[in-house]
Amino acid sequence: IADGREWFGCRVAPCDVLYISLEGQAGLAQRVKAYRKRYGADVGNRVRFLASPFSLLYSDDVDTLVATVKDAGIPEGVIIVDTLNAATPGMDENASADMGLAIAAAKRIRDECGGLIILIHHTGKDATKGLRGHSSLYAALDGTIEVNKANNRHAWSVAKSKDDETGAVYSFKLKVISLYISQPRPS
C-alpha cells in the first residue's frame, strides 16, 4: 500500500501506513528486511510502526493515537491494528456492549484521522462460523478479507464487501526471502 505496488492485478494508490503491531513484534524487523531485500532498499518509507501497548477500550489511548497520526502528518492513510484481540485486553468479545466499545473506537479513529482502518482478527475454532466474537463486529465492517490455508495451499477471499461483489477467491504462494547466508559445516 505504502509503495503503491500492484496487488493481485489491482492498482493501488500509494499512501501512508501506520502498522500497530501488538503481536509478533519480534519478527517485525526481519519482515521489513525481507521486503526491502525483495523490492529494494528505498521502499517502505511511508510505513510507520507502533509496537507499544495500545487499547481501543481506553479513550486516552485512542486520543494519543489520533494525536500521533495527526502530528506525524499521516492522516488519510491506512491504520492497521494487529490484532483486534490484542487491542482489546480484557474485553468479552462475545458481549455486544464490549464489542460496541471497540467498534466505536475504531470508527472514531477513522472519523478523526480519515483513511482506512484495518482490524486483523481471527476466526473461531470452527472457521465456517466466521469471525470470533459478537455479530455486531461483522455487521459494522465495510468489508472483510478472509485468509485460509488448507493442504499447504493459501488463498484469500472477499468474504464481505459493502459496495462490491463478495466471494472472489485468489490463491497465492508465500515466498521465502533468505536473510542469512548459511555457512558450510566443517567436516
Side-chain angles (χ1 to χ4, degrees), residues 62-79:
V62 175
D63 292 343
T64 301
L65 177 64
V66 168
T68 299
V69 168
K70 289 179 178 180
D71 290 346
I74 56 174
E76 299 297 326
V78 175
I79 299 172

Side-chain angles (χ1 to χ4, degrees), residues 76-100:
E76 299 297 326
V78 175
I79 299 172
I80 301 168
V81 178
D82 186 1
T83 63
L84 177 60
N85 182 61
T88 53
M91 178 180 88
D92 178 357
E93 64 185 17
N94 295 308
S96 65
D98 285 2
M99 188 59 79

Side-chain angles (χ1 to χ4, degrees), residues 23-97:
E23 293 182 4
Q25 295 98 332
L28 198 54
Q30 290 174 304
R31 290 185 198 140
V32 171
K33 284 181 189 175
Y35 182 78
R36 288 188 169 156
K37 183 174 181 179
R38 170 91 164 88
Y39 295 108
D42 60 340
V43 298
N45 294 323
R46 295 181 75 178
V47 180
R48 291 172 182 88
F49 297 93
L50 179 64
S52 59
F54 167 78
S55 176
L56 288 167
L57 304 178
Y58 301 123
S59 60
D60 288 351
D61 283 7
V62 175
D63 292 343
T64 301
L65 177 64
V66 168
T68 299
V69 168
K70 289 179 178 180
D71 290 346
I74 56 174
E76 299 297 326
V78 175
I79 299 172
I80 301 168
V81 178
D82 186 1
T83 63
L84 177 60
N85 182 61
T88 53
M91 178 180 88
D92 178 357
E93 64 185 17
N94 295 308
S96 65

